[in-house]
Amino acid sequence: MLVFNLTSKNIKDKKDILNTTCSGLCIGKFIPQIGKAFPNSTVELHMLSTKPPVTNISVGVLGVRAEGNITLLARKSDKSLHYLFTIYAKASIKVNLSMANEMIHGKLYDMKIQTKVTNSAIGTINDKALQFLVDSATITTIEPMINGLGTKGFPMPSTKDLQFQQSGIKLLPNTILIETDLKYAPKSTVLKFVPMNERYLANEI
């Protein structure tokens, strides 16, 4: 998730949002320079984390702060890529955790992204156009992706002979507390004897 390319294929509800030419709303209209320079093309967002994400745990909330660069490129009909501009982005994400069937689940309930253009090959980029990108493309894609991972869940660490029962999870300052009953259920209690090698027995006799 720290290296991710966002294209029109990743956006289910707004597939046309990254088109440079459209009759409705698309990036080519919000940023006219793109529509004029690269008509009938699509825009890709290549995201790359520049620092390790920082996790903060408070009462009831798991927070993650991440930052990185988003490079926008235009892909023409001949499949060639052309550099447009680069955005520095800083994201703040908050997640609620829960537990069910010995799986830890999460659901995103707040995400804020701050952006700033650091380099551009097409001139000045309007702030409203940047916000449009964040709201219509990035958030609508990243939010379902995070919630999808949270719905799938992460299994609690366990062994073959130990079973977790009536488990619960609490978020405390800088702490994830998991409380559970443990049931010891070994797979087998039968002792197994391996016969001695026949040649070894003959030599002993």
Side-chain angles (χ1 to χ4, degrees):
M1 292 182 66
L2 301 181
V3 180
F4 180 70
N5 293 343
L6 176 61
T7 68
S8 57
K9 296 179 181 180
N10 305 119
I11 304 176
K12 297 180 180 180
D13 298 330
K14 302 179 179 180
K15 292 183 178 180
D16 299 333
I17 213 73
L18 295 179
N19 289 348
T20 60
T21 304
C22 64
S23 58
L25 293 176
C26 65
I27 192 172
K29 286 192 174 181
F30 275 82
I31 307 178
Q33 307 98 295
I34 297 178
K36 291 179 180 179
F38 302 99
N40 301 311
S41 303
T42 59
V43 172
E44 297 183 7
L45 285 73
H46 292 194
M47 306 179 189
L48 175 64
S49 176
T50 55
K51 290 184 179 180
V54 178
T55 302
N56 178 51
I57 305 171
S58 58
V59 178
V61 177
L62 173 67
V64 179
R65 296 193 309 273
E67 56 186 279
N69 292 323
I70 303 175
T71 301
L72 282 84
L73 305 107
R75 186 176 290 277
K76 299 176 69 174
S77 56
D78 61 2
K79 306 299 181 182
S80 61
L81 279 175
H82 302 267
Y83 174 77
L84 299 173
F85 59 93
T86 300
I87 301 171
Y88 168 76
K90 184 181 292 187
S92 175
I93 301 170
K94 294 181 180 179
V95 179
N96 285 327
L97 296 184
S98 60
M99 185 171 290
N101 300 321
E102 318 311 329
M103 299 283 288
I104 300 174
H105 300 274
K107 183 174 178 59
L108 186 147
Y109 81 91
D110 184 53
M111 179 167 61
K112 297 177 182 177
I113 301 178
Q114 298 176 335
T115 59
K116 179 178 68 175
V117 176
T118 57
N119 188 42
S120 175
I122 57 172
T124 304
I125 308 299
N126 186 280
D127 290 338
K128 291 184 178 180
L130 280 183
Q131 195 60 46
F132 167 77
L133 270 177
V134 171
D135 294 341
S136 301
T138 311
I139 290 181
T140 56
T141 302
I142 294 179
E143 184 172 344
M145 186 169 61
I146 294 175
N147 282 335
L149 289 173
T151 301
K152 183 179 179 181
F154 300 89
M156 290 178 58
S158 61
T159 66
K160 295 180 179 179
D161 297 335
L162 284 178
Q163 297 178 1
F164 295 98
Q165 296 183 334
Q166 298 179 348
S167 303
I169 187 169
K170 292 181 180 178
L171 295 178
L172 304 174
N174 301 316
T175 305
I176 297 179
L177 173 65
I178 296 176
E179 44 194 10
T180 182
D181 293 338
L182 292 176
K183 180 181 179 181
Y184 179 64
K187 297 297 182 180
S188 175
T189 57
V190 177
L191 294 177
K192 295 181 179 180
F193 295 92
V194 179
M196 303 175 94
N197 186 282
E198 293 181 1
R199 183 181 297 178
Y200 174 78
L201 289 175
N203 290 335
E204 286 294 309
I205 295 172

